[in-house]
mmCIF file with all atom_site columns, all heavy atoms in Angstrom:
data_model
loop_
_atom_site.group_PDB
_atom_site.id
_atom_site.type_symbol
_atom_site.label_atom_id
_atom_site.label_alt_id
_atom_site.label_comp_id
_atom_site.label_asym_id
_atom_site.label_entity_id
_atom_site.label_seq_id
_atom_site.pdbx_PDB_ins_code
_atom_site.Cartn_x
_atom_site.Cartn_y
_atom_site.Cartn_z
_atom_site.occupancy
_atom_site.B_iso_or_equiv
_atom_site.pdbx_formal_charge
_atom_site.auth_seq_id
_atom_site.auth_comp_id
_atom_site.auth_asym_id
_atom_site.auth_atom_id
_atom_site.pdbx_PDB_model_num
ATOM 1   N N   . LEU E 1 82  ? 6.469  43.046 75.541  1.00 0.00 ? 82  LEU E N   1
ATOM 2   C CA  . LEU E 1 82  ? 5.195  43.224 76.247  1.00 0.00 ? 82  LEU E CA  1
ATOM 3   C C   . LEU E 1 82  ? 4.006  42.818 75.387  1.00 0.00 ? 82  LEU E C   1
ATOM 4   O O   . LEU E 1 82  ? 2.897  42.667 75.879  1.00 0.00 ? 82  LEU E O   1
ATOM 5   C CB  . LEU E 1 82  ? 5.009  44.694 76.651  1.00 0.00 ? 82  LEU E CB  1
ATOM 6   C CG  . LEU E 1 82  ? 5.814  45.245 77.818  1.00 0.00 ? 82  LEU E CG  1
ATOM 7   C CD1 . LEU E 1 82  ? 5.762  44.345 79.019  1.00 0.00 ? 82  LEU E CD1 1
ATOM 8   C CD2 . LEU E 1 82  ? 7.223  45.587 77.463  1.00 0.00 ? 82  LEU E CD2 1
ATOM 9   N N   . VAL E 1 83  ? 4.246  42.641 74.084  1.00 0.00 ? 83  VAL E N   1
ATOM 10  C CA  . VAL E 1 83  ? 3.139  42.304 73.179  1.00 0.00 ? 83  VAL E CA  1
ATOM 11  C C   . VAL E 1 83  ? 3.056  40.793 72.987  1.00 0.00 ? 83  VAL E C   1
ATOM 12  O O   . VAL E 1 83  ? 2.057  40.167 73.315  1.00 0.00 ? 83  VAL E O   1
ATOM 13  C CB  . VAL E 1 83  ? 3.294  43.028 71.827  1.00 0.00 ? 83  VAL E CB  1
ATOM 14  C CG1 . VAL E 1 83  ? 2.095  42.756 70.943  1.00 0.00 ? 83  VAL E CG1 1
ATOM 15  C CG2 . VAL E 1 83  ? 3.444  44.529 72.050  1.00 0.00 ? 83  VAL E CG2 1
ATOM 16  N N   . GLN E 1 85  ? 4.260  37.940 74.602  1.00 0.00 ? 85  GLN E N   1
ATOM 17  C CA  . GLN E 1 85  ? 4.942  37.851 75.892  1.00 0.00 ? 85  GLN E CA  1
ATOM 18  C C   . GLN E 1 85  ? 5.821  36.632 76.073  1.00 0.00 ? 85  GLN E C   1
ATOM 19  O O   . GLN E 1 85  ? 6.539  36.539 77.052  1.00 0.00 ? 85  GLN E O   1
ATOM 20  C CB  . GLN E 1 85  ? 3.912  37.950 77.012  1.00 0.00 ? 85  GLN E CB  1
ATOM 21  C CG  . GLN E 1 85  ? 3.281  39.329 77.008  1.00 0.00 ? 85  GLN E CG  1
ATOM 22  C CD  . GLN E 1 85  ? 2.223  39.478 78.060  1.00 0.00 ? 85  GLN E CD  1
ATOM 23  O OE1 . GLN E 1 85  ? 1.866  38.519 78.714  1.00 0.00 ? 85  GLN E OE1 1
ATOM 24  N NE2 . GLN E 1 85  ? 1.706  40.678 78.204  1.00 0.00 ? 85  GLN E NE2 1
ATOM 25  N N   . LEU E 1 96  ? 6.128  47.621 69.054  1.00 0.00 ? 96  LEU E N   1
ATOM 26  C CA  . LEU E 1 96  ? 6.558  48.137 70.358  1.00 0.00 ? 96  LEU E CA  1
ATOM 27  C C   . LEU E 1 96  ? 7.945  47.607 70.718  1.00 0.00 ? 96  LEU E C   1
ATOM 28  O O   . LEU E 1 96  ? 8.780  48.330 71.267  1.00 0.00 ? 96  LEU E O   1
ATOM 29  C CB  . LEU E 1 96  ? 5.543  47.754 71.447  1.00 0.00 ? 96  LEU E CB  1
ATOM 30  C CG  . LEU E 1 96  ? 5.905  48.206 72.859  1.00 0.00 ? 96  LEU E CG  1
ATOM 31  C CD1 . LEU E 1 96  ? 5.933  49.716 72.967  1.00 0.00 ? 96  LEU E CD1 1
ATOM 32  C CD2 . LEU E 1 96  ? 4.929  47.641 73.880  1.00 0.00 ? 96  LEU E CD2 1
ATOM 33  N N   . ASP E 1 99  ? 10.496 49.599 68.927  1.00 0.00 ? 99  ASP E N   1
ATOM 34  C CA  . ASP E 1 99  ? 10.690 50.897 69.586  1.00 0.00 ? 99  ASP E CA  1
ATOM 35  C C   . ASP E 1 99  ? 11.547 50.743 70.838  1.00 0.00 ? 99  ASP E C   1
ATOM 36  O O   . ASP E 1 99  ? 12.446 51.552 71.095  1.00 0.00 ? 99  ASP E O   1
ATOM 37  C CB  . ASP E 1 99  ? 9.337  51.499 69.995  1.00 0.00 ? 99  ASP E CB  1
ATOM 38  C CG  . ASP E 1 99  ? 8.547  51.972 68.788  1.00 0.00 ? 99  ASP E CG  1
ATOM 39  O OD1 . ASP E 1 99  ? 9.107  51.945 67.681  1.00 0.00 ? 99  ASP E OD1 1
ATOM 40  O OD2 . ASP E 1 99  ? 7.376  52.354 68.962  1.00 0.00 ? 99  ASP E OD2 1
ATOM 41  N N   . ASP E 1 103 ? 15.155 52.256 71.990  1.00 0.00 ? 103 ASP E N   1
ATOM 42  C CA  . ASP E 1 103 ? 15.401 52.982 73.229  1.00 0.00 ? 103 ASP E CA  1
ATOM 43  C C   . ASP E 1 103 ? 16.580 52.374 73.987  1.00 0.00 ? 103 ASP E C   1
ATOM 44  O O   . ASP E 1 103 ? 17.431 53.095 74.509  1.00 0.00 ? 103 ASP E O   1
ATOM 45  C CB  . ASP E 1 103 ? 14.148 52.961 74.116  1.00 0.00 ? 103 ASP E CB  1
ATOM 46  C CG  . ASP E 1 103 ? 13.093 53.931 73.595  1.00 0.00 ? 103 ASP E CG  1
ATOM 47  O OD1 . ASP E 1 103 ? 13.476 54.893 72.897  1.00 0.00 ? 103 ASP E OD1 1
ATOM 48  O OD2 . ASP E 1 103 ? 11.913 53.730 73.882  1.00 0.00 ? 103 ASP E OD2 1
ATOM 49  N N   . TRP E 1 120 ? 15.053 51.672 84.024  1.00 0.00 ? 120 TRP E N   1
ATOM 50  C CA  . TRP E 1 120 ? 14.253 52.554 83.157  1.00 0.00 ? 120 TRP E CA  1
ATOM 51  C C   . TRP E 1 120 ? 13.031 51.789 82.637  1.00 0.00 ? 120 TRP E C   1
ATOM 52  O O   . TRP E 1 120 ? 11.920 52.307 82.602  1.00 0.00 ? 120 TRP E O   1
ATOM 53  C CB  . TRP E 1 120 ? 15.125 53.037 81.997  1.00 0.00 ? 120 TRP E CB  1
ATOM 54  C CG  . TRP E 1 120 ? 14.468 54.009 81.074  1.00 0.00 ? 120 TRP E CG  1
ATOM 55  C CD1 . TRP E 1 120 ? 14.406 55.358 81.235  1.00 0.00 ? 120 TRP E CD1 1
ATOM 56  C CD2 . TRP E 1 120 ? 13.788 53.713 79.846  1.00 0.00 ? 120 TRP E CD2 1
ATOM 57  N NE1 . TRP E 1 120 ? 13.735 55.912 80.176  1.00 0.00 ? 120 TRP E NE1 1
ATOM 58  C CE2 . TRP E 1 120 ? 13.332 54.934 79.311  1.00 0.00 ? 120 TRP E CE2 1
ATOM 59  C CE3 . TRP E 1 120 ? 13.511 52.533 79.141  1.00 0.00 ? 120 TRP E CE3 1
ATOM 60  C CZ2 . TRP E 1 120 ? 12.627 55.022 78.114  1.00 0.00 ? 120 TRP E CZ2 1
ATOM 61  C CZ3 . TRP E 1 120 ? 12.807 52.611 77.961  1.00 0.00 ? 120 TRP E CZ3 1
ATOM 62  C CH2 . TRP E 1 120 ? 12.373 53.843 77.451  1.00 0.00 ? 120 TRP E CH2 1
ATOM 63  N N   . THR E 1 122 ? 11.689 48.888 83.972  1.00 0.00 ? 122 THR E N   1
ATOM 64  C CA  . THR E 1 122 ? 10.777 48.421 85.017  1.00 0.00 ? 122 THR E CA  1
ATOM 65  C C   . THR E 1 122 ? 9.980  49.578 85.603  1.00 0.00 ? 122 THR E C   1
ATOM 66  O O   . THR E 1 122 ? 8.877  49.375 86.094  1.00 0.00 ? 122 THR E O   1
ATOM 67  C CB  . THR E 1 122 ? 11.516 47.682 86.152  1.00 0.00 ? 122 THR E CB  1
ATOM 68  O OG1 . THR E 1 122 ? 12.631 48.474 86.550  1.00 0.00 ? 122 THR E OG1 1
ATOM 69  C CG2 . THR E 1 122 ? 11.993 46.330 85.724  1.00 0.00 ? 122 THR E CG2 1
ATOM 70  N N   . ALA E 1 123 ? 10.494 50.819 85.517  1.00 0.00 ? 123 ALA E N   1
ATOM 71  C CA  . ALA E 1 123 ? 9.733  51.985 85.984  1.00 0.00 ? 123 ALA E CA  1
ATOM 72  C C   . ALA E 1 123 ? 8.486  52.180 85.131  1.00 0.00 ? 123 ALA E C   1
ATOM 73  O O   . ALA E 1 123 ? 7.512  52.779 85.575  1.00 0.00 ? 123 ALA E O   1
ATOM 74  C CB  . ALA E 1 123 ? 10.597 53.234 85.929  1.00 0.00 ? 123 ALA E CB  1
ATOM 75  N N   . ARG E 1 124 ? 8.509  51.670 83.909  1.00 0.00 ? 124 ARG E N   1
ATOM 76  C CA  . ARG E 1 124 ? 7.362  51.814 83.011  1.00 0.00 ? 124 ARG E CA  1
ATOM 77  C C   . ARG E 1 124 ? 6.518  50.552 82.926  1.00 0.00 ? 124 ARG E C   1
ATOM 78  O O   . ARG E 1 124 ? 5.287  50.610 82.857  1.00 0.00 ? 124 ARG E O   1
ATOM 79  C CB  . ARG E 1 124 ? 7.852  52.175 81.605  1.00 0.00 ? 124 ARG E CB  1
ATOM 80  C CG  . ARG E 1 124 ? 8.298  53.606 81.495  1.00 0.00 ? 124 ARG E CG  1
ATOM 81  C CD  . ARG E 1 124 ? 9.315  53.820 80.394  1.00 0.00 ? 124 ARG E CD  1
ATOM 82  N NE  . ARG E 1 124 ? 9.714  55.217 80.333  1.00 0.00 ? 124 ARG E NE  1
ATOM 83  C CZ  . ARG E 1 124 ? 10.546 55.782 81.190  1.00 0.00 ? 124 ARG E CZ  1
ATOM 84  N NH1 . ARG E 1 124 ? 11.076 55.072 82.164  1.00 0.00 ? 124 ARG E NH1 1
ATOM 85  N NH2 . ARG E 1 124 ? 10.848 57.056 81.095  1.00 0.00 ? 124 ARG E NH2 1
ATOM 86  N N   . TYR E 1 125 ? 7.187  49.400 82.909  1.00 0.00 ? 125 TYR E N   1
ATOM 87  C CA  . TYR E 1 125 ? 6.475  48.150 82.631  1.00 0.00 ? 125 TYR E CA  1
ATOM 88  C C   . TYR E 1 125 ? 6.543  47.145 83.782  1.00 0.00 ? 125 TYR E C   1
ATOM 89  O O   . TYR E 1 125 ? 6.176  45.996 83.580  1.00 0.00 ? 125 TYR E O   1
ATOM 90  C CB  . TYR E 1 125 ? 7.021  47.529 81.350  1.00 0.00 ? 125 TYR E CB  1
ATOM 91  C CG  . TYR E 1 125 ? 6.704  48.347 80.117  1.00 0.00 ? 125 TYR E CG  1
ATOM 92  C CD1 . TYR E 1 125 ? 7.682  49.094 79.473  1.00 0.00 ? 125 TYR E CD1 1
ATOM 93  C CD2 . TYR E 1 125 ? 5.415  48.399 79.618  1.00 0.00 ? 125 TYR E CD2 1
ATOM 94  C CE1 . TYR E 1 125 ? 7.379  49.858 78.361  1.00 0.00 ? 125 TYR E CE1 1
ATOM 95  C CE2 . TYR E 1 125 ? 5.107  49.154 78.509  1.00 0.00 ? 125 TYR E CE2 1
ATOM 96  C CZ  . TYR E 1 125 ? 6.087  49.881 77.887  1.00 0.00 ? 125 TYR E CZ  1
ATOM 97  O OH  . TYR E 1 125 ? 5.779  50.629 76.784  1.00 0.00 ? 125 TYR E OH  1
ATOM 98  N N   . SER E 1 126 ? 7.034  47.570 84.945  1.00 0.00 ? 126 SER E N   1
ATOM 99  C CA  . SER E 1 126 ? 7.156  46.712 86.124  1.00 0.00 ? 126 SER E CA  1
ATOM 100 C C   . SER E 1 126 ? 8.123  45.544 85.871  1.00 0.00 ? 126 SER E C   1
ATOM 101 O O   . SER E 1 126 ? 8.691  45.416 84.792  1.00 0.00 ? 126 SER E O   1
ATOM 102 C CB  . SER E 1 126 ? 5.791  46.191 86.576  1.00 0.00 ? 126 SER E CB  1
ATOM 103 O OG  . SER E 1 126 ? 5.347  45.135 85.739  1.00 0.00 ? 126 SER E OG  1
ATOM 104 N N   . PHE E 1 128 ? 7.596  42.738 85.162  1.00 0.00 ? 128 PHE E N   1
ATOM 105 C CA  . PHE E 1 128 ? 7.075  41.897 84.090  1.00 0.00 ? 128 PHE E CA  1
ATOM 106 C C   . PHE E 1 128 ? 8.019  41.873 82.891  1.00 0.00 ? 128 PHE E C   1
ATOM 107 O O   . PHE E 1 128 ? 8.098  40.880 82.161  1.00 0.00 ? 128 PHE E O   1
ATOM 108 C CB  . PHE E 1 128 ? 5.713  42.463 83.659  1.00 0.00 ? 128 PHE E CB  1
ATOM 109 C CG  . PHE E 1 128 ? 4.789  41.442 83.095  1.00 0.00 ? 128 PHE E CG  1
ATOM 110 C CD1 . PHE E 1 128 ? 3.912  40.766 83.919  1.00 0.00 ? 128 PHE E CD1 1
ATOM 111 C CD2 . PHE E 1 128 ? 4.788  41.167 81.737  1.00 0.00 ? 128 PHE E CD2 1
ATOM 112 C CE1 . PHE E 1 128 ? 3.058  39.821 83.391  1.00 0.00 ? 128 PHE E CE1 1
ATOM 113 C CE2 . PHE E 1 128 ? 3.933  40.224 81.217  1.00 0.00 ? 128 PHE E CE2 1
ATOM 114 C CZ  . PHE E 1 128 ? 3.065  39.548 82.044  1.00 0.00 ? 128 PHE E CZ  1
ATOM 115 N N   . ILE E 1 160 ? 9.191  10.257 109.884 1.00 0.00 ? 160 ILE E N   1
ATOM 116 C CA  . ILE E 1 160 ? 8.585  8.941  109.638 1.00 0.00 ? 160 ILE E CA  1
ATOM 117 C C   . ILE E 1 160 ? 9.587  7.832  109.905 1.00 0.00 ? 160 ILE E C   1
ATOM 118 O O   . ILE E 1 160 ? 9.286  6.834  110.585 1.00 0.00 ? 160 ILE E O   1
ATOM 119 C CB  . ILE E 1 160 ? 8.063  8.867  108.181 1.00 0.00 ? 160 ILE E CB  1
ATOM 120 C CG1 . ILE E 1 160 ? 6.861  9.792  108.020 1.00 0.00 ? 160 ILE E CG1 1
ATOM 121 C CG2 . ILE E 1 160 ? 7.688  7.431  107.820 1.00 0.00 ? 160 ILE E CG2 1
ATOM 122 C CD1 . ILE E 1 160 ? 6.492  10.052 106.580 1.00 0.00 ? 160 ILE E CD1 1
ATOM 123 N N   . LEU Z 2 6   ? -1.313 10.051 105.465 1.00 0.00 ? 6   LEU Z N   1
ATOM 124 C CA  . LEU Z 2 6   ? -0.361 11.076 105.024 1.00 0.00 ? 6   LEU Z CA  1
ATOM 125 C C   . LEU Z 2 6   ? -0.383 11.293 103.499 1.00 0.00 ? 6   LEU Z C   1
ATOM 126 O O   . LEU Z 2 6   ? -0.439 12.442 103.040 1.00 0.00 ? 6   LEU Z O   1
ATOM 127 C CB  . LEU Z 2 6   ? 1.053  10.695 105.498 1.00 0.00 ? 6   LEU Z CB  1
ATOM 128 C CG  . LEU Z 2 6   ? 1.891  11.878 105.983 1.00 0.00 ? 6   LEU Z CG  1
ATOM 129 C CD1 . LEU Z 2 6   ? 1.294  12.484 107.242 1.00 0.00 ? 6   LEU Z CD1 1
ATOM 130 C CD2 . LEU Z 2 6   ? 3.328  11.457 106.194 1.00 0.00 ? 6   LEU Z CD2 1
ATOM 131 N N   . PRO Z 2 30  ? -3.213 36.641 83.088  1.00 0.00 ? 30  PRO Z N   1
ATOM 132 C CA  . PRO Z 2 30  ? -1.769 36.549 83.327  1.00 0.00 ? 30  PRO Z CA  1
ATOM 133 C C   . PRO Z 2 30  ? -0.961 37.375 82.328  1.00 0.00 ? 30  PRO Z C   1
ATOM 134 O O   . PRO Z 2 30  ? 0.216  37.640 82.535  1.00 0.00 ? 30  PRO Z O   1
ATOM 135 C CB  . PRO Z 2 30  ? -1.477 35.059 83.174  1.00 0.00 ? 30  PRO Z CB  1
ATOM 136 C CG  . PRO Z 2 30  ? -2.602 34.526 82.373  1.00 0.00 ? 30  PRO Z CG  1
ATOM 137 C CD  . PRO Z 2 30  ? -3.794 35.375 82.662  1.00 0.00 ? 30  PRO Z CD  1
ATOM 138 N N   . ARG Z 2 31  ? -1.605 37.757 81.210  1.00 0.00 ? 31  ARG Z N   1
ATOM 139 C CA  . ARG Z 2 31  ? -0.904 38.554 80.202  1.00 0.00 ? 31  ARG Z CA  1
ATOM 140 C C   . ARG Z 2 31  ? -0.885 40.040 80.552  1.00 0.00 ? 31  ARG Z C   1
ATOM 141 O O   . ARG Z 2 31  ? -0.204 40.821 79.921  1.00 0.00 ? 31  ARG Z O   1
ATOM 142 C CB  . ARG Z 2 31  ? -1.573 38.384 78.836  1.00 0.00 ? 31  ARG Z CB  1
ATOM 143 C CG  . ARG Z 2 31  ? -1.324 37.026 78.192  1.00 0.00 ? 31  ARG Z CG  1
ATOM 144 C CD  . ARG Z 2 31  ? -2.029 36.979 76.853  1.00 0.00 ? 31  ARG Z CD  1
ATOM 145 N NE  . ARG Z 2 31  ? -1.710 38.158 76.059  1.00 0.00 ? 31  ARG Z NE  1
ATOM 146 C CZ  . ARG Z 2 31  ? -0.669 38.251 75.251  1.00 0.00 ? 31  ARG Z CZ  1
ATOM 147 N NH1 . ARG Z 2 31  ? 0.149  37.247 75.138  1.00 0.00 ? 31  ARG Z NH1 1
ATOM 148 N NH2 . ARG Z 2 31  ? -0.443 39.352 74.571  1.00 0.00 ? 31  ARG Z NH2 1
ATOM 149 N N   . VAL Z 2 33  ? 0.021  43.341 81.983  1.00 0.00 ? 33  VAL Z N   1
ATOM 150 C CA  . VAL Z 2 33  ? 1.231  43.900 82.576  1.00 0.00 ? 33  VAL Z CA  1
ATOM 151 C C   . VAL Z 2 33  ? 0.814  44.877 83.679  1.00 0.00 ? 33  VAL Z C   1
ATOM 152 O O   . VAL Z 2 33  ? 0.136  45.856 83.412  1.00 0.00 ? 33  VAL Z O   1
ATOM 153 C CB  . VAL Z 2 33  ? 2.053  44.644 81.504  1.00 0.00 ? 33  VAL Z CB  1
ATOM 154 C CG1 . VAL Z 2 33  ? 3.342  45.174 82.100  1.00 0.00 ? 33  VAL Z CG1 1
ATOM 155 C CG2 . VAL Z 2 33  ? 2.348  43.730 80.334  1.00 0.00 ? 33  VAL Z CG2 1
ATOM 156 N N   . PRO Z 2 34  ? 1.178  44.611 84.924  1.00 0.00 ? 34  PRO Z N   1
ATOM 157 C CA  . PRO Z 2 34  ? 0.797  45.535 85.997  1.00 0.00 ? 34  PRO Z CA  1
ATOM 158 C C   . PRO Z 2 34  ? 1.537  46.863 85.829  1.00 0.00 ? 34  PRO Z C   1
ATOM 159 O O   . PRO Z 2 34  ? 2.693  46.887 85.445  1.00 0.00 ? 34  PRO Z O   1
ATOM 160 C CB  . PRO Z 2 34  ? 1.247  44.819 87.271  1.00 0.00 ? 34  PRO Z CB  1
ATOM 161 C CG  . PRO Z 2 34  ? 2.278  43.852 86.834  1.00 0.00 ? 34  PRO Z CG  1
ATOM 162 C CD  . PRO Z 2 34  ? 1.997  43.495 85.404  1.00 0.00 ? 34  PRO Z CD  1
ATOM 163 N N   . PRO Z 2 36  ? 3.420  50.035 87.118  1.00 0.00 ? 36  PRO Z N   1
ATOM 164 C CA  . PRO Z 2 36  ? 4.082  50.595 88.307  1.00 0.00 ? 36  PRO Z CA  1
ATOM 165 C C   . PRO Z 2 36  ? 3.773  52.080 88.475  1.00 0.00 ? 36  PRO Z C   1
ATOM 166 O O   . PRO Z 2 36  ? 4.260  52.698 89.402  1.00 0.00 ? 36  PRO Z O   1
ATOM 167 C CB  . PRO Z 2 36  ? 5.564  50.366 88.014  1.00 0.00 ? 36  PRO Z CB  1
ATOM 168 C CG  . PRO Z 2 36  ? 5.676  50.198 86.546  1.00 0.00 ? 36  PRO Z CG  1
ATOM 169 C CD  . PRO Z 2 36  ? 4.323  49.886 85.982  1.00 0.00 ? 36  PRO Z CD  1
ATOM 170 N N   . TYR Z 2 102 ? -2.348 56.627 69.215  1.00 0.00 ? 102 TYR Z N   1
ATOM 171 C CA  . TYR Z 2 102 ? -1.076 55.925 69.412  1.00 0.00 ? 102 TYR Z CA  1
ATOM 172 C C   . TYR Z 2 102 ? -0.544 55.361 68.097  1.00 0.00 ? 102 TYR Z C   1
ATOM 173 O O   . TYR Z 2 102 ? -1.210 54.551 67.458  1.00 0.00 ? 102 TYR Z O   1
ATOM 174 C CB  . TYR Z 2 102 ? -1.292 54.813 70.444  1.00 0.00 ? 102 TYR Z CB  1
ATOM 175 C CG  . TYR Z 2 102 ? -0.114 53.900 70.671  1.00 0.00 ? 102 TYR Z CG  1
ATOM 176 C CD1 . TYR Z 2 102 ? 1.159  54.399 70.888  1.00 0.00 ? 102 TYR Z CD1 1
ATOM 177 C CD2 . TYR Z 2 102 ? -0.286 52.520 70.702  1.00 0.00 ? 102 TYR Z CD2 1
ATOM 178 C CE1 . TYR Z 2 102 ? 2.222  53.557 71.111  1.00 0.00 ? 102 TYR Z CE1 1
ATOM 179 C CE2 . TYR Z 2 102 ? 0.765  51.658 70.933  1.00 0.00 ? 102 TYR Z CE2 1
ATOM 180 C CZ  . TYR Z 2 102 ? 2.025  52.185 71.128  1.00 0.00 ? 102 TYR Z CZ  1
ATOM 181 O OH  . TYR Z 2 102 ? 3.071  51.338 71.358  1.00 0.00 ? 102 TYR Z OH  1
ATOM 182 N N   . LYS Z 2 103 ? 0.644  55.802 67.710  1.00 0.00 ? 103 LYS Z N   1
ATOM 183 C CA  . LYS Z 2 103 ? 1.347  55.292 66.519  1.00 0.00 ? 103 LYS Z CA  1
ATOM 184 C C   . LYS Z 2 103 ? 0.401  55.153 65.329  1.00 0.00 ? 103 LYS Z C   1
ATOM 185 O O   . LYS Z 2 103 ? 0.236  54.073 64.763  1.00 0.00 ? 103 LYS Z O   1
ATOM 186 C CB  . LYS Z 2 103 ? 1.984  53.943 66.835  1.00 0.00 ? 103 LYS Z CB  1
ATOM 187 C CG  . LYS Z 2 103 ? 3.297  54.070 67.574  1.00 0.00 ? 103 LYS Z CG  1
ATOM 188 C CD  . LYS Z 2 103 ? 3.884  52.737 67.916  1.00 0.00 ? 103 LYS Z CD  1
ATOM 189 C CE  . LYS Z 2 103 ? 4.864  52.257 66.866  1.00 0.00 ? 103 LYS Z CE  1
ATOM 190 N NZ  . LYS Z 2 103 ? 6.173  52.904 66.961  1.00 0.00 ? 103 LYS Z NZ  1
ATOM 191 N N   . PRO Z 2 128 ? 5.373  58.779 67.033  1.00 0.00 ? 128 PRO Z N   1
ATOM 192 C CA  . PRO Z 2 128 ? 6.542  57.930 67.305  1.00 0.00 ? 128 PRO Z CA  1
ATOM 193 C C   . PRO Z 2 128 ? 6.336  56.933 68.440  1.00 0.00 ? 128 PRO Z C   1
ATOM 194 O O   . PRO Z 2 128 ? 7.051  55.944 68.520  1.00 0.00 ? 128 PRO Z O   1
ATOM 195 C CB  . PRO Z 2 128 ? 7.645  58.930 67.672  1.00 0.00 ? 128 PRO Z CB  1
ATOM 196 C CG  . PRO Z 2 128 ? 7.039  60.269 67.714  1.00 0.00 ? 128 PRO Z CG  1
ATOM 197 C CD  . PRO Z 2 128 ? 5.596  60.182 67.422  1.00 0.00 ? 128 PRO Z CD  1
ATOM 198 N N   . ILE Z 2 133 ? 5.455  54.922 75.634  1.00 0.00 ? 133 ILE Z N   1
ATOM 199 C CA  . ILE Z 2 133 ? 6.402  54.079 76.376  1.00 0.00 ? 133 ILE Z CA  1
ATOM 200 C C   . ILE Z 2 133 ? 6.581  54.628 77.789  1.00 0.00 ? 133 ILE Z C   1
ATOM 201 O O   . ILE Z 2 133 ? 6.636  53.873 78.758  1.00 0.00 ? 133 ILE Z O   1
ATOM 202 C CB  . ILE Z 2 133 ? 7.744  53.968 75.614  1.00 0.00 ? 133 ILE Z CB  1
ATOM 203 C CG1 . ILE Z 2 133 ? 7.545  53.061 74.386  1.00 0.00 ? 133 ILE Z CG1 1
ATOM 204 C CG2 . ILE Z 2 133 ? 8.835  53.413 76.507  1.00 0.00 ? 133 ILE Z CG2 1
ATOM 205 C CD1 . ILE Z 2 133 ? 8.759  52.944 73.503  1.00 0.00 ? 133 ILE Z CD1 1
ATOM 206 N N   . ASP Z 2 134 ? 6.637  55.980 77.928  1.00 0.00 ? 134 ASP Z N   1
ATOM 207 C CA  . ASP Z 2 134 ? 6.757  56.573 79.259  1.00 0.00 ? 134 ASP Z CA  1
ATOM 208 C C   . ASP Z 2 134 ? 5.541  56.233 80.123  1.00 0.00 ? 134 ASP Z C   1
ATOM 209 O O   . ASP Z 2 134 ? 5.648  56.098 81.343  1.00 0.00 ? 134 ASP Z O   1
ATOM 210 C CB  . ASP Z 2 134 ? 6.896  58.095 79.160  1.00 0.00 ? 134 ASP Z CB  1
ATOM 211 C CG  . ASP Z 2 134 ? 8.280  58.503 78.673  1.00 0.00 ? 134 ASP Z CG  1
ATOM 212 O OD1 . ASP Z 2 134 ? 9.186  57.655 78.748  1.00 0.00 ? 134 ASP Z OD1 1
ATOM 213 O OD2 . ASP Z 2 134 ? 8.444  59.645 78.222  1.00 0.00 ? 134 ASP Z OD2 1
ATOM 214 N N   . GLY Z 2 136 ? 4.007  53.440 79.876  1.00 0.00 ? 136 GLY Z N   1
ATOM 215 C CA  . GLY Z 2 136 ? 3.952  51.989 80.003  1.00 0.00 ? 136 GLY Z CA  1
ATOM 216 C C   . GLY Z 2 136 ? 2.851  51.358 79.178  1.00 0.00 ? 136 GLY Z C   1
ATOM 217 O O   . GLY Z 2 136 ? 2.319  50.318 79.530  1.00 0.00 ? 136 GLY Z O   1
ATOM 218 N N   . VAL Z 2 137 ? 2.537  52.001 78.051  1.00 0.00 ? 137 VAL Z N   1
ATOM 219 C CA  . VAL Z 2 137 ? 1.493  51.463 77.170  1.00 0.00 ? 137 VAL Z CA  1
ATOM 220 C C   . VAL Z 2 137 ? 2.044  50.239 76.448  1.00 0.00 ? 137 VAL Z C   1
ATOM 221 O O   . VAL Z 2 137 ? 3.162  50.253 75.952  1.00 0.00 ? 137 VAL Z O   1
ATOM 222 C CB  . VAL Z 2 137 ? 1.046  52.545 76.157  1.00 0.00 ? 137 VAL Z CB  1
ATOM 223 C CG1 . VAL Z 2 137 ? 0.211  51.948 75.045  1.00 0.00 ? 137 VAL Z CG1 1
ATOM 224 C CG2 . VAL Z 2 137 ? 0.283  53.648 76.866  1.00 0.00 ? 137 VAL Z CG2 1
ATOM 225 N N   . THR Z 2 138 ? 1.258  49.156 76.434  1.00 0.00 ? 138 THR Z N   1
ATOM 226 C CA  . THR Z 2 138 ? 1.688  47.950 75.722  1.00 0.00 ? 138 THR Z CA  1
ATOM 227 C C   . THR Z 2 138 ? 0.894  47.759 74.442  1.00 0.00 ? 138 THR Z C   1
ATOM 228 O O   . THR Z 2 138 ? 1.239  46.920 73.626  1.00 0.00 ? 138 THR Z O   1
ATOM 229 C CB  . THR Z 2 138 ? 1.511  46.701 76.595  1.00 0.00 ? 138 THR Z CB  1
ATOM 230 O OG1 . THR Z 2 138 ? 0.123  46.587 76.929  1.00 0.00 ? 138 THR Z OG1 1
ATOM 231 C CG2 . THR Z 2 138 ? 2.318  46.804 77.861  1.00 0.00 ? 138 THR Z CG2 1
#
Side-chain angles (χ1 to χ4, degrees):
Chain E
L82 285 312
V83 184
Q85 294 178 353
L96 178 64
D99 289 353
D103 284 336
W120 183 86
T122 48
R124 285 154 180 76
Y125 293 106
S126 77
F128 208 91
I160 291 166
Chain Z
L6 219 66
R31 287 180 50 88
V33 183
Y102 174 48
K103 279 178 94 78
I133 287 176
D134 286 342
V137 167
T138 60

